[in-house]
């Protein structure tokens, strides 16, 4: 385990992808651990009704991407495992006077599947549509594409 700031920096430099690494998905077929940070609209099936909300989206998961359109864009299957956007949304929606809530791992555990389109090689934006099982929701997002680790 890293014990000094220099050792932590060395580990990050060795394993973390550099800024602009989203372009790799636009040029090559890849398998990555990826994150997105953006906004979305999520619909929640609720018996006979369907309700929806605008949300902050911050999923982290495994993504398989294919370069398309003469290596200018990408299409991906993204399987989020965690979504820290759930906690951020909850915090924003609560009033300042509400009691402090303790969060558990289950609050960020949010497996699902998304189809994601990498909009441009020049900008790190992507749009996605899909499903997450917790909370049970369907939705779409536009977000910054943040590859964390290349697996192939």
């Amino acid at each position: 385990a890293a014990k000094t700031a220099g050792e932590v920096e060395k580990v990050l430099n060795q394993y973390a992808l550099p800024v602009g690494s989203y372009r790799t998905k636009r040029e090559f077929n890849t398998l990555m651990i990826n994150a997105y940070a953006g906004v979305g609209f999520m619909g929640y099936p609720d018996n006979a009704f369907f309700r929806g909300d605008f949300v902050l989206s911050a999923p982290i998961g495994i993504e398989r991407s294919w370069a398309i359109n003469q290596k200018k864009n990408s299409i991906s299957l993204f399987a989020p495992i965690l979504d820290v956007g759930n906690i951020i949304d909850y915090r924003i929606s609560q009033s300042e006077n509400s009691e402090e809530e303790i969060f558990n791992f289950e609050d960020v555990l949010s497996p699902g599947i998304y189809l994601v389109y990498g909009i441009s090689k020049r900008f790190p934006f992507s749009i996605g549509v899909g499903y997450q099982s917790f909370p049970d929701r369907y939705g779409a997002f536009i977000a910054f594409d943040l590859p964390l680790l290349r697996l192939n």
Side-chain angles (χ1 to χ4, degrees):
K3 295 183 178 160
T4 67
E7 290 174 344
V8 170
E9 182 179 359
K10 184 178 177 183
V11 168
L12 287 174
N13 286 335
Q14 184 175 357
Y15 293 105
L17 291 172
V19 173
S21 57
Y22 72 92
R23 289 185 195 104
T24 305
K25 295 193 290 186
R26 311 308 196 251
E27 297 173 2
F28 305 100
N29 298 339
T30 61
L31 180 65
M32 295 187 175
I33 295 177
N34 207 77
Y36 288 96
V39 295
F41 182 81
M42 298 294 173
Y44 306 87
D46 188 16
N47 296 330
F49 297 100
F50 187 83
R51 63 184 179 83
D53 293 312
F54 286 98
V55 298
L56 292 176
S57 183
I60 302 167
I62 298 172
E63 183 173 72
R64 177 72 170 133
S65 298
W66 295 270
I68 60 170
N69 194 19
Q70 299 175 348
K71 298 187 176 185
K72 295 178 184 174
N73 308 96
S74 61
I75 193 82
S76 305
L77 283 177
F78 176 58
I81 299 167
L82 306 173
D83 193 340
V84 295
N86 294 341
I87 292 174
I88 297 166
D89 267 339
Y90 178 80
R91 292 282 187 193
I92 290 172
S93 69
Q94 299 305 304
S95 71
E96 291 181 18
N97 298 329
S98 64
E99 292 184 29
E100 194 72 20
E101 182 165 333
I102 307 281
F103 290 97
N104 297 315
F105 180 71
E106 293 83 24
D107 295 319
V108 295
L109 184 64
S110 192
I113 189 74
Y114 279 84
L115 182 64
V116 180
Y117 178 70
I119 296 172
S120 168
K121 190 174 176 180
R122 294 183 59 203
F123 303 104
F125 295 109
S126 292
I127 56 174
V129 294
Y131 171 78
Q132 284 178 275
S133 64
F134 180 78
D136 185 22
R137 65 186 185 183
Y138 298 89
F141 66 78
I142 183 164
F144 287 102
D145 189 345
L146 306 167
L148 302 175
L149 181 66
R150 188 165 178 182
L151 301 174
N152 70 340

